[in-house]
Amino acid sequence: QVQLVESGGGLVQAGGSLRLSCAAPGLTFSNYAMGWFRQAPGKEREFVAAISWGGSSRDYAASVKGRFTISRDNARKTVYLQMNSLKPEDTAVYYCAAQYLRAGVPSTHRADFGSWGQGTQVTVSS
């Protein structure tokens, strides 16, 4: 079981910023695309962003495009999600996920990600 450990969540006012981190020390990191998903109370877990192993391919949900940026540091085996201009509707538990993919464009489908972190809470107050 691959361990993914998220950090960086918290409480922020609308319009503020947060940076989430996800460390994957036991993963052969360069073999994996990485993604972020989120789940709000009473809702399905939804795709937020994904990045290919080399970082050249990135994809975002329409609701966060232009506000969130996904990046990765393969030497540190860490993926980041920079979240700017946060809105109350961004409130959710945010999950990091890994998809075995050595080439090509990452999937945005939850089922294609085989390893998940425990989640970190992000709360945006109005």
Side-chain angles (χ1 to χ4, degrees), residues 43-126:
K43 294 189 176 181
E44 293 285 319
R45 191 172 300 187
E46 65 176 5
F47 169 76
V48 174
I51 186 168
S52 59
W53 72 270
S56 61
S57 179
R58 309 182 195 202
D59 200 2
Y60 297 93
S63 59
V64 307
K65 195 171 291 186
R67 300 188 298 122
F68 291 10
T69 301
I70 189 170
S71 61
R72 64 189 293 161
D73 184 332
N74 286 348
R76 289 186 166 85
K77 296 188 176 183
T78 301
V79 61
Y80 305 97
L81 186 68
Q82 178 66 43
M83 306 185 294
N84 299 329
S85 302
L86 282 161
K87 304 175 181 180
E89 52 264 43
D90 294 317
T91 295
V93 177
Y94 282 71
Y95 296 90
C96 171
Q99 177 191 168
Y100 185 78
L101 185 70
R102 299 183 67 182
V105 177
S107 169
T108 62
H109 298 290
R110 190 174 60 191
D112 293 326
F113 288 79
S115 298
W116 293 83
Q118 82 287 353
T120 186
Q121 176 70 46
V122 171
T123 302
V124 184
S125 63
S126 58

